[in-house]
Amino acid sequence: MENGNRVSKRLALYIQPERCYGSLSLSSHAHDSMARIYPFFVFLSFLISSAMAVAMPEVEHSFARTVDRELMGFRKEKLSHFRFYWHDVMSGKNPTSIQVVPPVSNMSSTFFGTVQMIDNPLTATPDPKSKLWGRAQGLYASTSQEELVLLMAMNLEFTSGKYKGSSITIFGRNQVMAKVREMPVIGGSGLFRFARGYAEARTSKVDFKTGDAVVEYNIYVLHY
């Protein structure tokens, strides 16, 4: 019976908390109000926490954004064709193509490993004294041990005409002994921003004693 009385008294304390907390106790009406409001505050806190969790990473790490095409001055995309002659001059007092890395072996028939730095003129005709349209600046390297294949990485910078100050970038494989070699246009600057297309190279003239060569380039570029 004593144990039963003790349990009854404890239950009374939980059911009637005002008897336990004195002046700090809450009426049953207040308890009912708190019981109804509490879930709302829990839900509101959850929404606020979720919103902060989503927003904070974007504030801290947002380094990219979508840009309106019109703000970039985009007009209708067009396809342009350029033709000029690329002069690779290794001889004379003022060569435009200089070896910066020699081949890995003197026995290599493909000059494997050779790297040439270039600043080659781009002219209107095969004649080096014809109209100068720009310069091909970059490098090419021998990348095959079995055939003469070059990795071309160059910017075609225009120095006169409508496209003066703009450039086209070519990066690709050049199988030198093939009649026609195709290389991708991967971009550009100035009037060739966002450019894409391809270039065709055909050897016009080569001097095997000096290494000098003239190559015709036809370039097809999509740009704005």
Side-chain angles (χ1 to χ4, degrees):
M1 290 296 293
E2 286 186 34
N3 289 336
N5 291 332
R6 289 177 181 175
V7 172
S8 298
K9 290 178 179 179
R10 288 178 181 175
L11 287 173
L13 289 175
Y14 284 111
I15 295 171
Q16 301 178 18
E18 63 275 7
R19 292 182 58 186
C20 180
Y21 296 102
S23 61
L24 295 177
S25 63
L26 299 173
S27 66
S28 60
H29 177 72
H31 275 291
D32 291 340
S33 299
M34 288 296 294
R36 289 194 299 270
I37 295 173
Y38 181 72
F40 171 76
F41 279 109
V42 172
F43 180 68
L44 183 61
S45 299
F46 172 75
L47 288 179
I48 294 173
S49 299
S50 300
M52 291 180 66
V54 172
M56 287 301 289
E58 185 167 343
V59 172
E60 294 177 0
H61 306 292
S62 60
F63 59 90
R65 63 189 178 94
T66 302
V67 179
D68 189 342
R69 293 165 61 90
E70 293 183 0
L71 295 178
M72 299 297 293
F74 282 155
R75 295 179 293 274
K76 184 177 179 181
E77 192 175 41
K78 57 187 175 182
L79 175 64
S80 296
H81 170 219
F82 301 90
R83 184 180 72 174
F84 39 70
Y85 291 83
W86 181 88
H87 297 263
D88 197 45
V89 182
M90 297 184 182
S91 63
K93 296 181 180 180
N94 189 30
T96 63
S97 179
I98 299 176
Q99 185 182 98
V100 292
V101 178
V104 295
S105 170
N106 291 330
M107 302 299 292
S108 175
S109 61
T110 65
F111 306 101
F112 178 63
T114 301
V115 178
Q116 295 278 138
M117 194 66 64
I118 62 170
D119 183 18
N120 291 345
L122 304 172
T123 62
T125 73
D127 183 353
K129 296 181 181 179
S130 62
K131 173 69 176 179
L132 179 69
W133 286 116
R135 308 195 72 87
Q137 297 174 331
L139 58 87
Y140 61 81
S142 177
T143 56
S144 174
Q145 299 184 64
E146 298 177 353
E147 58 180 328
L148 191 54
V149 174
L150 303 177
L151 169 67
M152 309 292 295
M154 58 184 179
N155 292 312
L156 308 182
E157 180 198 12
F158 292 91
T159 57
S160 60
K162 174 183 176 180
Y163 299 102
K164 182 178 180 180
S166 300
S167 66
I168 294 172
T169 301
I170 292 175
F171 187 88
R173 183 177 186 267
N174 183 351
Q175 191 178 2
V176 177
M177 302 309 293
K179 183 178 180 180
V180 180
R181 290 88 72 187
E182 183 178 315
M183 291 164 280
V185 170
I186 63 170
S189 65
L191 295 176
F192 298 106
R193 293 171 184 165
F194 302 101
R196 64 190 191 281
Y198 69 97
E200 291 181 347
R202 297 173 173 83
T203 300
S204 177
K205 180 182 178 182
V206 62
D207 186 332
F208 290 102
K209 291 182 179 180
T210 63
D212 294 353
V214 179
V215 179
E216 177 187 346
Y217 270 84
N218 283 275
I219 302 176
Y220 299 86
V221 183
L222 282 167
H223 62 105
Y224 294 95

